[in-house]
Amino acid sequence: MLLTWIAEVAEEPLALEPGARRVEWETNTWSLGAGDEDGQPLSAAEVVAAFEQTAAGIRERIRALGFTGVATFYVWHDGQAGQLRCSTGSVPPDELPFNGTYVVSDHLGPIVEEFLADSMPGVIAWSDLDDGESHGEQAMTAPEIAPLRVWTSSVGTSH
């Protein structure tokens, strides 16, 4: 199912409106959960290939639309939701619409592997929760939060 959903993203509505980033985000952002692939586990290579094919399809659509600006297709793993997410925006990779820190990754494989390795998507283990007792100590030294890894593919006509 996941591979089908990824392929369908290339055919979904697509908004490229540099002056209306919210419209782009709401129209172009997709959340993809792990589905039953006819009882066969997926490999990271299969999922990566599906996303690369989708990026190529979106690139072709953008060219056919006559859009002449920068556009980026991007994929990330939302660990809290247990989903792979993808979107397209009329922005370069260093201006993606994330509120937090992110790092652009040249390789989609590790992002997909992290998603596929999540045995309980969207569930946080008790051991990862704060017990509240050491809250004062934690306030003194804020935990470092690893930046979100995001794979990008240029799909616009301008780089």
Side-chain angles (χ1 to χ4, degrees):
M1 225 32 217
L2 180 62
L3 298 178
T4 301
W5 291 337
I6 293 169
E8 289 174 352
V9 167
E11 303 301 322
E12 293 292 341
L14 180 65
L16 293 171
E17 300 183 30
R21 301 282 193 235
R22 179 168 280 304
V23 170
E24 287 185 346
W25 179 260
E26 290 173 358
T27 304
N28 302 341
T29 302
W30 301 97
S31 300
L32 308 164
D36 181 22
E37 292 294 327
D38 300 324
Q40 300 296 318
L42 289 173
S43 71
E46 290 173 302
V47 177
V48 167
F51 274 119
E52 288 172 343
Q53 184 89 18
T54 295
I58 291 172
R59 186 177 301 109
E60 289 175 23
R61 283 183 64 196
I62 289 172
R63 289 196 170 116
L65 290 171
F67 182 79
T68 59
V70 172
T72 302
F73 175 72
Y74 52 104
V75 178
W76 70 99
H77 174 221
D78 182 336
Q80 288 182 324
Q83 300 171 329
L84 279 174
R85 296 195 177 181
C86 62
S87 191
T88 305
S90 58
V91 294
D94 61 346
E95 293 180 23
L96 298 177
F98 292 107
N99 289 331
T101 305
Y102 69 94
V103 62
V104 173
S105 175
D106 292 334
H107 304 286
L108 180 54
I111 295 168
V112 171
E113 288 167 2
E114 179 182 287
F115 167 75
L116 293 175
D118 190 350
S119 63
M120 297 180 67
V123 175
I124 299 172
W126 281 106
S127 60
D128 292 340
L129 295 175
D130 179 6
D131 65 8
E133 291 181 23
S134 59
H135 194 278
E137 294 173 16
Q138 289 179 353
M140 301 288 279
T141 59
E144 287 189 35
I145 298 174
L148 180 67
R149 287 183 300 162
V150 181
W151 175 78
T152 64
S153 177
S154 175
V155 293
T157 57
S158 175
H159 300 283

